[in-house]
Amino acid sequence: MARWSSDEIDESDESALPPVLQSLDDSTCREILARLNEPKSASDLREDCDLSSSTVYRKLELLRESALVREYTEVRRDGPNVTLYERDFTDISIGIDDTGEFSMTVTRPETDPEDRLATFWSAMKEES
């Protein structure tokens, strides 16, 4: 049995490790993660990484499903709203014990109430 620790990854979910490893094994995903030192739109990432839009969205979806990137909508008064992406971890530790059991710990950055509200509204948008 594997053990996971994170805000968004269920510790009892043994399927959490493979998507994280798959994301980290992908050089394009790693490049996107490296560019997300601040929130960016998919368009910004497309230009920064010199990738097609479809590739950027496909990789962002993989990173979001792996809980390594979070997505939220920035509401703008002077123009259309924009979806932004940011890295949602500060450290990932993967270990193995003497019995061959893997463990994973994902450390998340501290969030303030405004960030939690943005996450809430993004989740509401996904459900509608």
Side-chain angles (χ1 to χ4, degrees), residues 9-77:
I9 298 174
D10 181 359
E11 290 183 22
S12 63
D13 184 2
E14 294 185 12
S15 65
L17 184 60
V20 170
L21 293 177
Q22 180 183 3
S23 296
L24 296 176
D25 186 45
D26 186 305
S27 62
T28 305
C29 286
R30 288 193 313 270
E31 182 178 2
I32 288 171
L33 287 170
R35 305 276 182 161
L36 287 175
N37 55 339
E38 62 183 7
K40 293 187 178 185
S41 69
S43 297
D44 292 337
L45 289 167
R46 183 183 55 77
E47 291 174 15
D48 290 352
C49 300
D50 194 29
L51 298 168
S52 70
S53 292
S54 62
T55 299
V56 169
Y57 282 109
R58 193 172 59 252
K59 299 303 181 178
L60 285 170
E61 182 66 16
L62 177 61
L63 290 165
R64 196 178 63 72
E65 288 175 355
S66 302
L68 300 179
V69 165
R70 77 179 191 99
E71 168 187 290
Y72 62 94
T73 302
E74 181 179 79
V75 178
R76 296 183 175 173
R77 295 178 196 259

